[in-house]
Amino acid sequence: MAVERSDALIGDEVVRALGAQGRSSQVLVQVKDGHVTLSGDVPDAATRQQVEARVAAIEGVRGVRSHLNVDGGSHSFGPRSRAVRDNPDGADDARMGDIDLDDNG
């Protein structure tokens, strides 16, 4: 017989399990009626499968909906050895002038 657990307890255990795994720090977790929804980025397909299996094995989980994206870094950080910049033209923000949002001065 399946054990009924609160969504909060399931969510806490999922977060602990993923934290222990280490390679899934960018995974967001939502739990509703025992169904866990995972979203975010993982570095490779093997990690995605491990995360999904680990979550499915947690007591009280009735189902797992995975919206995990495999991103080895190129999506978030650009091609290997090339940093992604906020200012792609390379202009220095200090030379461009700062915007003062303080009305006092």
Side-chain angles (χ1 to χ4, degrees):
M1 182 169 134
V3 175
E4 290 290 324
R5 295 178 73 195
S6 73
D7 290 344
L9 287 175
I10 293 170
D12 288 345
E13 189 168 344
V14 169
V15 169
R16 278 195 306 276
L18 296 181
Q21 187 167 0
R23 297 188 63 181
S24 51
S25 63
Q26 298 298 316
V27 175
L28 302 174
V29 176
Q30 293 179 316
V31 183
K32 182 169 173 136
D33 299 326
H35 294 275
V36 180
T37 301
L38 304 170
S39 58
D41 295 334
V42 292
D44 51 51
T47 300
R48 179 176 58 201
Q49 292 171 345
Q50 290 168 356
V51 166
E52 293 164 355
R54 180 169 277 194
V55 171
I58 291 174
E59 187 175 18
V61 171
R62 301 169 89 192
V64 177
R65 294 179 192 105
S66 180
H67 301 286
L68 294 175
N69 178 51
V70 174
D71 179 13
S74 62
H75 178 71
S76 300
F77 304 106
R80 188 176 291 271
S81 79
R82 293 190 56 202
V84 175
R85 302 177 66 108
D86 287 342
N87 52 351
D89 62 358
D92 185 1
D93 288 340
R95 286 187 288 146
M96 293 171 59
D98 293 330
I99 299 172
D100 186 3
L101 299 177
D102 185 14
D103 291 335
N104 296 328

